[in-house]
Amino acid sequence: MSETPEKINLLGLSPEKMEAFFADLGEKKFRAQQILKWIHQFGEANFDNMTNMSKGLRAKMADVAEIALPEVVYEDFSADGTRKWVMKMPGGSAVETVYIPEKDRGTLCVSSQIGCSLDYSFCSTGKQGFNRDLTVAEIIGQVYVAAMSFHEPGERRERRITNVVMMGMGEPLLNFDNVVDAMQLMMDDNAYGLSKRRVTLSTSGVVPMLDKLGEVIDVSLAVSLHAPNDELRNELVPLNRKYPIRELIDATNRYLSKLPDRRKATIEYTLIDGVNDDIEQARELSQLLKQVPCKINLIPFNPFPNSGYKRPSNNRVYRFRDQLINDGHIVTIRSTRGDDIDAACGQLVGKVADRTRRSERYIKAVQVNS
Ligand code: SAH
């Protein structure tokens, strides 16, 4: 007796893969567009309600496929309007997604992995260790859940989400294929219809993957730099030992040059008191970034227990910013949003079933030091 094969989760099929799915069923391409709309725009997870498909086709789909959604286990609202969802993924780990409303836009911060393997010294996600990559369904499922939370049943969803940033847990370029498929869905008119300028991938600089990204998709890019020289960056972002700053900057420029418009990269720089926030370091950063079309986003460090780091005073933050502006750069300071619900950058931890035992080592080290 043969076992029943596992059903395909249609939530996680990119537009291209959805077309292939219908081709396999002997159906025309436009079926893919219809079902993408049902799932991502109407939030419909029951084939029986998809009334523009014949009963026969609905039965055929139900035989081989399903629409399985991530389970929301917890939801929180910050006093400033920021929302956070904790979603449970198969295997028991949890992932966090954050929605940040602003005057003229609503940004969703999406996770790409459960935990993170990069071990930044100042990121609490990294301190939790790494468990696994998220599937396409789990990545786009975060957008689905957030989008549907603003929507009345039976109606087309409202467009409250105008921007998506892949800046939640994980390094998106280390989960390349799944992240690319999920971003295709974010930009597809039958799904979320976001413009390529409003979907941003944030990376610590996995150089070969950045080159590959430029070959397959056109999205906006954010690069997590955090230090103006290799010596300091090696310490803060250990990945730098593999792909030093020079290589990262060249790859960033190569990526930008492939885009059809003159888009700038965002350079993210987390400011940590007494570590990378000195005026000399601002000058060094200015010099380094002269060769990159970019805007610089300064992120004052968001503390978490036992990190050993401090957020600089506002004065130091402004001094650093003003130096960069004097040197001719475009600079913004990321306002801290949602920190009352632990939703700010670097505070997303979920509950990671760590496979690297890093969290154990970290906890031991903290116990020894405190
Ligand atoms: N791995 C990707 C995306 C996730 S992190 C990347 O590195 O870009 C998103 C941003 O938050 C990164 O720039 C990261 O450096 C920053 N960040 C991490 N921990 C932080 C903290 N405690 N305070 C402020 N920013 C932090």
Side-chain angles (χ1 to χ4, degrees):
M1 219 172 63
S2 68
E3 274 186 32
T4 344
E6 220 175 276
K7 291 190 174 178
I8 301 171
N9 186 3
L10 298 187
L11 179 70
L13 294 194
S14 66
E16 204 180 306
K17 290 190 177 133
M18 194 70 90
E19 284 182 5
F21 168 78
F22 281 103
D24 280 350
L25 292 183
E27 292 285 331
K28 296 251 163 58
K29 277 189 180 173
F30 74 93
R31 295 292 184 198
Q33 295 163 10
Q34 286 180 325
I35 198 151
L36 285 170
K37 280 205 174 102
W38 276 119
I39 299 173
H40 298 285
Q41 299 196 347
F42 289 90
E44 188 54 72
N46 182 348
F47 295 124
D48 283 340
N49 296 334
M50 300 182 180
T51 43
N52 56 359
M53 313 234 181
S54 72
K55 271 201 170 145
L57 174 55
R58 284 185 251 156
K60 224 165 31 171
M61 289 196 294
D63 260 355
V64 292
E66 62 182 349
I67 297 161
L69 307 171
E71 186 195 341
V72 178
V73 286
Y74 179 74
E75 206 181 329
D76 211 345
F77 295 80
S78 157
D80 67 14
T82 302
R83 289 173 72 166
K84 177 167 98 168
W85 295 266
V86 179
M87 299 180 203
K88 200 162 150 242
M89 304 298 177
S93 291
V95 160
E96 304 190 352
T97 308
V98 177
Y99 174 77
I100 306 149
E102 282 167 294
K103 251 202 308 291
D104 50 351
R105 60 181 174 181
T107 303
L108 192 70
C109 179
V110 168
S111 296
S112 57
Q113 297 180 312
I114 298 182
C116 185
S117 59
L118 293 182
D119 200 15
Y120 275 29
S121 62
F122 60 88
C123 176
S124 66
T125 303
K127 295 286 162 238
Q128 296 276 309
F130 174 70
N131 180 259
R132 67 170 173 84
D133 286 338
L134 292 179
T135 63
V136 184
E138 290 166 342
I139 299 169
I140 204 65
Q142 299 169 61
V143 185
Y144 176 99
V145 163
M148 291 313 151
S149 73
F150 297 120
H151 134 122
E152 296 296 321
E155 285 178 9
R156 217 171 135 177
R157 68 183 159 73
E158 248 188 274
R159 298 214 170 193
R160 295 267 197 102
I161 299 171
T162 60
N163 295 58
V164 172
V165 290
M166 298 299 306
M167 283 185 198
M169 297 167 71
E171 166 52 50
L173 290 184
L174 291 179
N175 183 14
F176 190 88
D177 292 340
N178 293 347
V179 165
V180 166
D181 275 10
M183 292 192 304
Q184 303 279 20
L185 280 166
M186 292 170 200
M187 296 190 289
D188 191 275
D189 282 340
N190 297 304
Y192 299 93
L194 295 174
S195 103
K196 58 192 184 182
R197 304 180 73 94
R198 290 168 173 268
V199 174
T200 302
L201 181 140
S202 174
T203 181
S204 295
V206 191
V207 166
M209 291 297 152
L210 188 49
D211 282 324
K212 205 168 146 201
L213 188 72
E215 285 159 21
V216 299
I217 202 168
D218 170 358
V219 292
S220 295
L221 179 68
V223 174
S224 291
L225 194 63
H226 309 308
N229 57 58
D230 283 324
E231 199 189 344
L232 181 57
R233 194 164 190 268
N234 284 344
E235 197 185 299
L236 298 177
V237 184
L239 183 71
N240 195 67
R241 299 196 189 120
K242 204 159 176 193
Y243 308 113
I245 291 179
R246 184 71 265 153
E247 285 183 33
L248 177 54
I249 284 188
D250 289 348
T252 302
N253 280 332
R254 281 197 297 277
Y255 182 84
L256 293 177
S257 68
K258 282 187 201 144
L259 303 182
D261 47 10
R262 290 166 160 234
R263 228 170 307 157
K264 294 183 165 70
T266 301
I267 299 293
E268 295 168 277
Y269 193 102
T270 298
L271 282 169
I272 309 172
D273 192 49
V275 173
N276 64 355
D277 65 340
D278 202 77
I279 204 80
E280 265 315 307
Q281 289 160 318
R283 289 197 190 104
E284 205 182 343
L285 183 65
S286 280
Q287 203 56 30
L288 181 70
L289 293 178
K290 265 204 178 122
Q291 319 129 19
V292 190
C294 67
K295 41 189 196 254
I296 303 169
N297 192 213
L298 300 175
I299 318 170
F301 173 68
N302 291 311
F304 55 91
N306 302 313
S307 71
Y309 291 125
K310 271 185 16 210
R311 173 191 296 233
S313 67
N314 285 346
N315 269 350
R316 279 183 81 85
V317 172
Y318 296 144
R319 222 165 54 116
F320 197 91
R321 175 197 60 188
D322 292 346
Q323 180 64 45
L324 296 172
I325 292 177
N326 276 340
D327 295 335
H329 288 291
I330 305 167
V331 191
T332 49
I333 298 174
R334 188 176 300 173
S335 57
T336 299
R337 300 288 302 268
D339 54 346
D340 53 340
I341 55 169
D342 283 344
C345 291
Q347 292 184 328
L348 300 187
V349 288
K351 267 212 167 46
V352 175
D354 178 26
R355 296 194 168 183
T356 64
R357 303 177 73 94
R358 183 187 310 137
S359 50
E360 244 169 65
R361 290 197 301 273
Y362 174 64
I363 290 161
K364 280 207 188 104
V366 165
Q367 283 166 348
V368 170
N369 293 334
S370 55

